[in-house]
Amino acid sequence: MKKVLVTGAAGFIGHAVSERLARDGFDVRGLDNFNDYYSVDLKKARASELAKRDVSVDKIDLVNSQQLDELFKSFQPDTVLNLAAQPGVRYSLENPRAYADSNIVGFVNLLEACRHHDVSHLVYASSSSVYGANVKVPFSTAHPVDHPISLYAATKKANELLAHTYSHLFGLPTTGLRFFTVYGPWGRPDMATYKFTEAILAGKPIDVYNFGEMKRDFTYIDDIVEGVVRTMQRVPQPNEKWDRLNPDPATSYAPFRIYNIGNNRPTNLLDFIAVLEKALGKKAECMMLPLQPGDVLETYADIDDLVQDVGFRPSTTIEEGLPKFVEWYKKYHNL
């Protein structure tokens, strides 16, 4: 059995990926720092679900390089999936040091551990946020991403740069995955789907930014997981056609790759709310507000490379995905 270490295993995506890998017969080990950015009880509940599949989640912070090295020595992973990070665009304006610690220092520690323990492939979560001030859609990995508009986005861009450096210097194969607005069962309480559901059911108003004039490439969790598992098993090779005079940002002369994983189907925020209202059987009271610092107007993933290389195209519509989230939410909260 291939050994896979999943960081952030008690997180939304980390939990879902770990469960899938365990189901597929991989030897999975998880770690998470269980911080209190959002409900620790939810993270513990996810970890308890993983325990049912014999996946343990060690309480380790990536900033602690000594504990991380000890885990690598004992488990000796073949593949590492880095799904740990300090998430959230708006919170990065309030607590920037949390992002520097988790997303920069922690990532360097992980790269060092992979380098010194002969890991065959590091797959790490990047984000659609890296497209920042870009307005050309759909967002392509061939586009430059040099103008982030939030600290969170800047740390994710930094991860991609650091990964390429290790691919170049030490031949460490790395794959970065830019996720687009993930939602679904076991989702994060700080994200719109969860916050809207909680407020609507409680009869409270929801905050709708930019007066609803926003589009997001909402991507269902199962589609994200499928993309992660497929790319994990495709170790990047040097691109022999890479041109230094016309460099492709998504590939390299080194074993390095970047992919978008998104639904390739942007949805207007007000349309998203309408589908959620239908799933809940209750209307929302909308508090229309201006655009928030760090927010972008639209996200839209070009996934041609993903389809070509691993043969997968996310397909779950919000009409299919949102009722599944609502069903989980009501069950989890005993409603």
Side-chain angles (χ1 to χ4, degrees):
M1 280 194 299
K2 179 178 282 190
K3 292 184 175 182
V4 183
L5 176 65
V6 181
T7 74
F12 175 29
I13 300 174
H15 157 258
V17 171
S18 298
E19 186 174 51
R20 164 68 183 274
L21 290 173
R23 196 167 67 237
D24 287 354
F26 289 90
D27 184 1
V28 184
R29 184 83 168 265
L31 69 82
D32 202 288
N33 68 0
F34 290 91
N35 72 19
D36 61 359
Y37 170 67
Y38 65 81
S39 170
V40 176
D41 288 340
L42 177 57
K43 296 176 182 181
K44 288 180 177 179
R46 295 185 188 125
S48 294
E49 290 294 307
L50 291 177
K52 297 175 184 177
R53 294 192 177 275
D54 295 323
V55 176
S56 63
V57 181
D58 296 337
K59 187 176 182 180
I60 295 175
D61 196 313
L62 293 181
V63 174
N64 191 322
S65 59
Q66 182 177 347
Q67 284 189 328
L68 189 63
D69 190 61
E70 290 171 355
L71 177 59
F72 270 75
K73 285 178 181 176
S74 64
F75 185 56
Q76 298 182 328
D78 303 302
T79 302
V80 174
L81 300 183
N82 182 43
L83 302 172
Q86 175 57 57
V89 168
R90 298 186 188 107
Y91 184 61
S92 66
L93 278 69
E94 302 172 24
N95 191 359
R97 287 180 177 80
Y99 292 78
D101 289 342
S102 292
N103 301 3
I104 304 295
V105 175
F107 191 67
V108 170
N109 288 343
L110 191 66
L111 285 166
E112 278 290 282
C114 290
R115 167 195 172 193
H116 290 292
H117 293 279
D118 298 320
V119 167
S120 63
H121 190 191
L122 167 64
V123 181
Y124 60 96
S126 185
S127 168
S128 61
S129 299
V130 300
Y131 289 104
N134 291 23
V135 294
K136 184 179 180 181
V137 291
F139 293 153
S140 168
T141 55
H143 296 166
V145 287
D146 299 321
H147 298 89
I149 61 174
S150 71
L151 182 65
Y152 170 69
T155 64
K156 288 300 187 178
K157 169 64 174 174
N159 285 173
E160 296 179 1
L161 295 172
L162 289 163
H164 183 269
T165 304
Y166 273 70
S167 295
H168 161 73
L169 289 174
F170 308 113
L172 173 66
T174 64
T175 299
L177 303 177
R178 295 173 179 169
F179 299 142
F180 281 68
T181 316
V182 190
Y183 74 99
W186 294 100
R188 283 178 15 216
D190 63 311
M191 296 187 72
T193 307
Y194 199 115
K195 288 167 68 176
F196 287 174
T197 298
E198 185 175 46
I200 293 169
L201 289 175
K204 297 179 180 179
I206 62 173
D207 293 339
V208 181
Y209 296 115
N210 204 43
F211 309 101
E213 292 300 315
M214 301 174 74
K215 290 184 178 181
R216 290 290 180 268
D217 203 341
F218 293 101
T219 311
Y220 189 64
I221 183 63
D222 290 359
D223 287 333
I224 292 289
V225 170
E226 185 66 31
V228 172
V229 171
R230 291 200 188 201
T231 53
M232 181 194 84
Q233 296 178 87
R234 189 181 193 277
V235 179
Q237 303 298 317
N239 179 3
E240 296 178 356
K241 297 180 180 179
W242 196 81
D243 184 355
R244 290 175 185 267
L245 296 176
N246 186 29
D248 172 14
T251 66
S252 175
Y253 56 85
F256 167 89
R257 197 68 171 89
I258 299 287
Y259 293 104
N260 288 332
I261 304 185
N263 208 33
N264 190 228
R265 192 181 311 174
T267 300
N268 185 281
L269 182 56
L270 294 179
D271 293 336
F272 180 85
I273 292 170
V275 175
L276 182 58
E277 288 174 328
K278 184 177 179 181
L280 290 168
K282 191 173 182 181
K283 295 292 287 183
E285 178 187 346
C286 297
M287 184 77 71
M288 297 299 187
L289 299 169
L291 190 68
Q292 300 294 291
D295 277 357
V296 298
L297 292 175
E298 179 177 6
T299 62
Y300 180 4
D302 180 331
I303 56 171
D304 288 351
D305 290 350
L306 183 73
V307 175
Q308 177 181 311
D309 288 356
V310 301
F312 174 64
R313 178 183 294 276
S315 60
T316 307
T317 66
I318 58 171
E319 288 79 9
E320 297 169 308
L322 282 176
K324 293 179 181 178
F325 170 78
V326 169
E327 180 183 4
W328 168 82
Y329 181 93
K330 290 181 175 179
K331 182 178 179 181
Y332 178 74
H333 290 282
N334 297 312
L335 300 178

